[in-house]
């Protein structure tokens, strides 16, 4: 229950906290994209995109996150994408909890 502006800003902070990198962002379109690397279990590189949109005036905001692995680790296993998406959402909640 945060404004669009708060969620957009908090998303960038969460990305930085996770050690990911923002390559492009467009606040008007609600998009943030970038890259990251996985070092837990199996190393690998990925790209991600976020779409942030305001649902109504309550305020209520929705985030959609997509990830794609570019390079798998030495064991050629693809890390669990769900784990990384959940991790960034948890970090986002931590950032948002500091806003009010």
């Amino acid at each position: 229950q945060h404004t669009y502006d708060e969620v957009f800003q908090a998303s960038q902070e969460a990305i930085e906290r996770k050690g990911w990198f923002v390559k492009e962002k467009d606040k008007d379109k609600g998009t943030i994209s970038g890259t990251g690397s996985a070092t837990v279990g199996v190393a690998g590189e990925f790209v991600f995109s976020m779409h942030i949109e305001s649902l109504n005036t309550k305020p209520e905001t929705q985030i959609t996150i997509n990830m794609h692995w570019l390079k798998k680790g030495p064991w050629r296993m693809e890390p669990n994408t769900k784990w990384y998406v959940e991790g960034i959402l948890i970090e986002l909640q931590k950032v948002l909890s500091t806003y009010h």
Side-chain angles (χ1 to χ4, degrees):
Q1 296 183 344
H2 294 273
T3 67
Y4 173 85
D5 290 340
E6 290 173 329
V7 174
F8 194 87
Q9 179 61 38
S11 295
Q12 293 174 83
E13 291 180 39
I15 289 165
E16 291 175 13
R17 285 185 180 193
K18 294 298 280 184
W20 301 3
F21 300 95
V22 173
K23 297 293 184 181
E24 294 182 24
K25 61 183 176 180
D26 187 325
K27 189 173 179 183
D28 293 333
K29 292 180 181 178
T31 57
I32 301 173
S33 60
T35 61
S37 61
T39 55
V40 177
V42 174
E45 297 173 7
F46 59 86
V47 292
F48 68 90
S49 62
M50 292 181 160
H51 182 252
I52 302 159
E53 62 183 317
S54 182
L55 298 179
N56 53 45
T57 58
K58 286 186 180 180
E60 195 171 51
T61 307
Q62 175 178 294
I63 297 181
T64 303
I65 302 172
N66 292 301
M67 293 182 70
H68 175 74
W69 294 95
L70 296 174
K71 179 181 173 186
K72 296 177 184 175
W75 295 281
R76 309 211 34 91
M77 295 171 54
E78 186 169 297
N80 186 343
T81 300
K82 181 181 176 185
W83 190 85
Y84 288 90
V85 170
E86 287 175 356
I88 196 69
L89 290 173
I90 289 168
E91 198 63 43
L92 176 59
Q93 288 297 325
K94 289 178 186 177
V95 174
L96 287 169
S97 72
T98 67
Y99 282 18
H100 290 281

